[in-house]
Amino acid sequence: MALDFAVRRTTAAQQVADGLSELILSGHFAPGTRLRESAIATDLGVSRNTVREAVRILELGGLVHHRVNKGAVVIAPTPGAVRALYDARGELEVAAVRQPRGASELGALRAAFERLRTAAGTQAVHDIVTADLDFHAAIVALLASSRIDDFYADLTTELRFYLSALSLEDREHHKPESIVAEHAAILEAIESGSPERAVGQVRDHVERNARRVCEIVAARESAPRAQ
């Protein structure tokens, strides 16, 4: 019975964390806003423990941090933080494609690409971002290290935030053919058996995303604050 309860509670916490992430992204919770656990629990009709666990998930993903005398506070992203995150992502993905991969190794990556193709057709930001992250996680999985997979998974909450911001800012979800084409080029490069080509495609993709997200964050930093 205790094990049953723990599983349900973890699921609820993740759902709350996902919902709070969406609210942070939409601007409902602006940078610097304190997340009041009791008020959130009352609004959602869940326990305060569930909300506390959800906030911990967001903290691990880099979306909130604890500030003295204020508790959990929404982060104020900086270009430097974005660059550090994308540098880590890029190093992992590049390492995964530095050697030729046989057809037998690429089944999961091809399946992830097909899921991304399907998601792109929905024009739903959440579905596209999830499928996008799954595709890149499948690249990292080529390293065949469960510890590295776990580390990359820890990056995905924060990456989800920035990818969603990018999609909404540039309305990428309304251009499914571009999303599919960009990732098809990465898959084709990996399938080609040329590490140089694969590394080039991965680096270009990650760098292009990093540069654009840094621009978005910098613009938000310099935007006039509402009084």
Short mmCIF file of all heavy atoms in Angstrom, two decimals, residues 143-174:
data_model
loop_
_atom_site.label_atom_id
_atom_site.label_comp_id
_atom_site.label_asym_id
_atom_site.label_seq_id
_atom_site.Cartn_x
_atom_site.Cartn_y
_atom_site.Cartn_z
N LEU A 143 25.74 6.64 -26.81
CA LEU A 143 26.94 6.45 -25.98
C LEU A 143 26.84 5.21 -25.10
O LEU A 143 27.82 4.79 -24.50
CB LEU A 143 27.17 7.69 -25.11
CG LEU A 143 27.60 8.96 -25.86
CD1 LEU A 143 27.51 10.17 -24.94
CD2 LEU A 143 29.00 8.79 -26.42
N ALA A 144 25.62 4.67 -24.99
CA ALA A 144 25.38 3.43 -24.24
C ALA A 144 25.86 3.54 -22.78
O ALA A 144 26.51 2.64 -22.25
CB ALA A 144 26.06 2.23 -24.92
N SER A 145 25.53 4.65 -22.15
CA SER A 145 25.87 4.85 -20.74
C SER A 145 24.63 5.30 -20.00
O SER A 145 24.12 6.41 -20.25
CB SER A 145 26.97 5.91 -20.60
OG SER A 145 27.10 6.31 -19.25
N SER A 146 24.14 4.49 -19.09
CA SER A 146 22.94 4.86 -18.34
C SER A 146 23.19 6.08 -17.46
O SER A 146 22.28 6.89 -17.24
CB SER A 146 22.48 3.68 -17.47
OG SER A 146 23.48 3.30 -16.55
N ARG A 147 24.42 6.25 -16.98
CA ARG A 147 24.73 7.43 -16.16
C ARG A 147 24.66 8.71 -16.99
O ARG A 147 24.17 9.75 -16.52
CB ARG A 147 26.12 7.28 -15.52
CG ARG A 147 26.23 6.18 -14.49
CD ARG A 147 25.37 6.45 -13.26
NE ARG A 147 25.81 7.61 -12.51
CZ ARG A 147 26.71 7.57 -11.54
NH1 ARG A 147 27.27 6.43 -11.18
NH2 ARG A 147 27.06 8.67 -10.89
N ILE A 148 25.17 8.65 -18.21
CA ILE A 148 25.10 9.81 -19.09
C ILE A 148 23.66 10.08 -19.48
O ILE A 148 23.22 11.24 -19.54
CB ILE A 148 25.98 9.61 -20.33
CG1 ILE A 148 27.46 9.62 -19.92
CG2 ILE A 148 25.71 10.70 -21.37
CD1 ILE A 148 28.41 9.33 -21.06
N ASP A 149 22.89 9.02 -19.73
CA ASP A 149 21.46 9.19 -20.03
C ASP A 149 20.76 9.92 -18.89
O ASP A 149 19.93 10.82 -19.12
CB ASP A 149 20.79 7.83 -20.26
CG ASP A 149 21.21 7.19 -21.57
OD1 ASP A 149 21.76 7.88 -22.43
OD2 ASP A 149 20.99 5.96 -21.71
N ASP A 150 21.08 9.53 -17.66
CA ASP A 150 20.46 10.17 -16.49
C ASP A 150 20.86 11.64 -16.40
O ASP A 150 20.03 12.51 -16.08
CB ASP A 150 20.87 9.45 -15.21
CG ASP A 150 20.24 8.07 -15.07
OD1 ASP A 150 19.27 7.78 -15.79
OD2 ASP A 150 20.73 7.29 -14.25
N PHE A 151 22.13 11.92 -16.67
CA PHE A 151 22.60 13.31 -16.63
C PHE A 151 21.88 14.14 -17.69
O PHE A 151 21.43 15.27 -17.41
CB PHE A 151 24.11 13.36 -16.85
CG PHE A 151 24.66 14.76 -16.93
CD1 PHE A 151 24.77 15.54 -15.81
CD2 PHE A 151 25.07 15.29 -18.16
CE1 PHE A 151 25.26 16.84 -15.87
CE2 PHE A 151 25.56 16.59 -18.23
CZ PHE A 151 25.67 17.36 -17.09
N TYR A 152 21.75 13.59 -18.88
CA TYR A 152 21.06 14.33 -19.95
C TYR A 152 19.59 14.55 -19.59
O TYR A 152 19.03 15.61 -19.87
CB TYR A 152 21.17 13.57 -21.27
CG TYR A 152 20.73 14.40 -22.47
CD1 TYR A 152 21.60 15.33 -23.03
CD2 TYR A 152 19.47 14.25 -23.02
CE1 TYR A 152 21.21 16.11 -24.10
CE2 TYR A 152 19.07 15.02 -24.10
CZ TYR A 152 19.94 15.94 -24.64
OH TYR A 152 19.55 16.72 -25.70
N ALA A 153 18.99 13.54 -18.97
CA ALA A 153 17.60 13.68 -18.55
C ALA A 153 17.45 14.83 -17.55
O ALA A 153 16.43 15.54 -17.56
CB ALA A 153 17.09 12.38 -17.93
N ASP A 154 18.46 15.02 -16.71
CA ASP A 154 18.41 16.13 -15.75
C ASP A 154 18.44 17.49 -16.46
O ASP A 154 17.94 18.49 -15.92
CB ASP A 154 19.60 16.06 -14.78
CG ASP A 154 19.45 14.93 -13.77
OD1 ASP A 154 18.32 14.45 -13.58
OD2 ASP A 154 20.47 14.54 -13.16
N LEU A 155 19.02 17.53 -17.66
CA LEU A 155 19.07 18.78 -18.40
C LEU A 155 17.76 19.10 -19.10
O LEU A 155 17.50 20.26 -19.45
CB LEU A 155 20.18 18.72 -19.48
CG LEU A 155 21.61 18.49 -19.05
CD1 LEU A 155 22.52 18.47 -20.28
CD2 LEU A 155 22.08 19.55 -18.07
N THR A 156 16.92 18.07 -19.31
CA THR A 156 15.78 18.26 -20.20
C THR A 156 14.69 19.18 -19.66
O THR A 156 13.98 19.80 -20.45
CB THR A 156 15.16 16.91 -20.59
OG1 THR A 156 14.74 16.19 -19.42
CG2 THR A 156 16.14 16.06 -21.38
N THR A 157 14.53 19.27 -18.34
CA THR A 157 13.51 20.18 -17.82
C THR A 157 13.84 21.62 -18.21
O THR A 157 12.99 22.36 -18.70
CB THR A 157 13.40 20.08 -16.28
OG1 THR A 157 13.00 18.76 -15.93
CG2 THR A 157 12.37 21.07 -15.75
N GLU A 158 15.09 22.00 -18.02
CA GLU A 158 15.51 23.36 -18.39
C GLU A 158 15.51 23.52 -19.91
O GLU A 158 15.10 24.56 -20.43
CB GLU A 158 16.89 23.65 -17.81
CG GLU A 158 17.23 25.13 -17.76
CD GLU A 158 18.48 25.42 -16.97
OE1 GLU A 158 19.05 24.48 -16.36
OE2 GLU A 158 18.90 26.59 -16.96
N LEU A 159 15.96 22.49 -20.61
CA LEU A 159 15.94 22.55 -22.07
C LEU A 159 14.51 22.70 -22.59
O LEU A 159 14.26 23.42 -23.55
CB LEU A 159 16.57 21.29 -22.68
CG LEU A 159 18.10 21.21 -22.66
CD1 LEU A 159 18.56 19.82 -23.04
CD2 LEU A 159 18.69 22.26 -23.61
N ARG A 160 13.56 22.01 -21.94
CA ARG A 160 12.16 22.11 -22.35
C ARG A 160 11.69 23.56 -22.25
O ARG A 160 10.98 24.07 -23.12
CB ARG A 160 11.29 21.21 -21.47
CG ARG A 160 9.81 21.25 -21.83
CD ARG A 160 9.00 20.40 -20.86
NE ARG A 160 9.39 19.01 -20.91
CZ ARG A 160 8.94 18.14 -21.83
NH1 ARG A 160 8.08 18.55 -22.74
NH2 ARG A 160 9.35 16.90 -21.82
N PHE A 161 12.09 24.22 -21.17
CA PHE A 161 11.71 25.63 -20.97
C PHE A 161 12.20 26.49 -22.13
O PHE A 161 11.45 27.26 -22.73
CB PHE A 161 12.30 26.11 -19.64
CG PHE A 161 12.06 27.56 -19.35
CD1 PHE A 161 10.85 27.99 -18.82
CD2 PHE A 161 13.05 28.50 -19.59
CE1 PHE A 161 10.63 29.33 -18.54
CE2 PHE A 161 12.84 29.83 -19.31
CZ PHE A 161 11.62 30.25 -18.79
N TYR A 162 13.48 26.33 -22.48
CA TYR A 162 14.06 27.17 -23.52
C TYR A 162 13.56 26.79 -24.91
O TYR A 162 13.34 27.66 -25.75
CB TYR A 162 15.59 27.11 -23.46
CG TYR A 162 16.15 27.74 -22.22
CD1 TYR A 162 16.97 27.02 -21.35
CD2 TYR A 162 15.86 29.06 -21.89
CE1 TYR A 162 17.48 27.60 -20.20
CE2 TYR A 162 16.37 29.65 -20.74
CZ TYR A 162 17.18 28.91 -19.90
OH TYR A 162 17.68 29.48 -18.76
N LEU A 163 13.38 25.49 -25.17
CA LEU A 163 12.85 25.07 -26.47
C LEU A 163 11.43 25.57 -26.67
O LEU A 163 11.03 25.95 -27.77
CB LEU A 163 12.91 23.55 -26.60
CG LEU A 163 14.28 22.93 -26.87
CD1 LEU A 163 14.18 21.41 -26.85
CD2 LEU A 163 14.85 23.39 -28.20
N SER A 164 10.65 25.55 -25.60
CA SER A 164 9.28 26.06 -25.69
C SER A 164 9.29 27.55 -25.95
O SER A 164 8.50 28.07 -26.76
CB SER A 164 8.51 25.74 -24.40
OG SER A 164 8.40 24.34 -24.21
N ALA A 165 10.17 28.27 -25.26
CA ALA A 165 10.29 29.71 -25.48
C ALA A 165 10.67 30.00 -26.93
O ALA A 165 10.11 30.90 -27.57
CB ALA A 165 11.32 30.30 -24.54
N LEU A 166 11.59 29.22 -27.46
CA LEU A 166 12.03 29.39 -28.84
C LEU A 166 10.88 29.13 -29.81
O LEU A 166 10.66 29.89 -30.76
CB LEU A 166 13.19 28.44 -29.13
CG LEU A 166 13.77 28.44 -30.55
CD1 LEU A 166 14.30 29.82 -30.90
CD2 LEU A 166 14.88 27.40 -30.66
N SER A 167 10.14 28.05 -29.56
CA SER A 167 9.04 27.69 -30.45
C SER A 167 7.97 28.77 -30.47
O SER A 167 7.46 29.14 -31.53
CB SER A 167 8.43 26.35 -30.01
OG SER A 167 7.40 25.96 -30.89
N LEU A 168 7.63 29.28 -29.28
CA LEU A 168 6.59 30.30 -29.20
C LEU A 168 7.06 31.63 -29.78
O LEU A 168 6.30 32.32 -30.48
CB LEU A 168 6.14 30.48 -27.76
CG LEU A 168 5.34 29.31 -27.16
CD1 LEU A 168 5.16 29.50 -25.67
CD2 LEU A 168 3.99 29.16 -27.85
N GLU A 169 8.30 32.00 -29.49
CA GLU A 169 8.82 33.29 -29.95
C GLU A 169 8.90 33.33 -31.48
O GLU A 169 8.54 34.33 -32.11
CB GLU A 169 10.21 33.54 -29.36
CG GLU A 169 10.74 34.93 -29.57
CD GLU A 169 10.13 35.95 -28.62
OE1 GLU A 169 9.57 35.55 -27.58
OE2 GLU A 169 10.24 37.15 -28.92
N ASP A 170 9.40 32.24 -32.07
CA ASP A 170 9.59 32.20 -33.52
C ASP A 170 8.46 31.47 -34.24
O ASP A 170 8.55 31.25 -35.45
CB ASP A 170 10.93 31.53 -33.85
CG ASP A 170 12.12 32.38 -33.44
OD1 ASP A 170 11.92 33.56 -33.08
OD2 ASP A 170 13.25 31.86 -33.46
N ARG A 171 7.43 31.06 -33.48
CA ARG A 171 6.28 30.35 -34.04
C ARG A 171 6.70 29.13 -34.86
O ARG A 171 6.16 28.83 -35.93
CB ARG A 171 5.42 31.31 -34.88
CG ARG A 171 4.91 32.51 -34.11
CD ARG A 171 3.98 33.39 -34.90
NE ARG A 171 2.71 32.73 -35.19
CZ ARG A 171 1.70 32.61 -34.34
NH1 ARG A 171 1.83 33.10 -33.10
NH2 ARG A 171 0.59 32.02 -34.68
N GLU A 172 7.71 28.43 -34.33
CA GLU A 172 8.22 27.25 -35.02
C GLU A 172 7.17 26.16 -35.15
O GLU A 172 7.21 25.38 -36.11
CB GLU A 172 9.45 26.70 -34.28
CG GLU A 172 10.68 27.55 -34.40
CD GLU A 172 11.91 26.85 -33.85
OE1 GLU A 172 11.77 26.00 -32.95
OE2 GLU A 172 13.01 27.14 -34.33
N HIS A 173 6.25 26.10 -34.19
CA HIS A 173 5.24 25.06 -34.23
C HIS A 173 4.30 25.22 -35.41
O HIS A 173 3.55 24.29 -35.75
CB HIS A 173 4.45 25.03 -32.91
CG HIS A 173 3.86 26.35 -32.51
ND1 HIS A 173 4.64 27.44 -32.23
CD2 HIS A 173 2.57 26.74 -32.35
CE1 HIS A 173 3.87 28.47 -31.91
NE2 HIS A 173 2.61 28.08 -31.98
N HIS A 174 4.31 26.39 -36.05
CA HIS A 174 3.49 26.61 -37.24
C HIS A 174 4.27 26.28 -38.52
O HIS A 174 3.76 26.51 -39.61
CB HIS A 174 3.00 28.06 -37.29
CG HIS A 174 1.98 28.37 -36.25
ND1 HIS A 174 0.94 27.53 -35.94
CD2 HIS A 174 1.84 29.45 -35.43
CE1 HIS A 174 0.20 28.06 -34.98
NE2 HIS A 174 0.73 29.23 -34.65
#
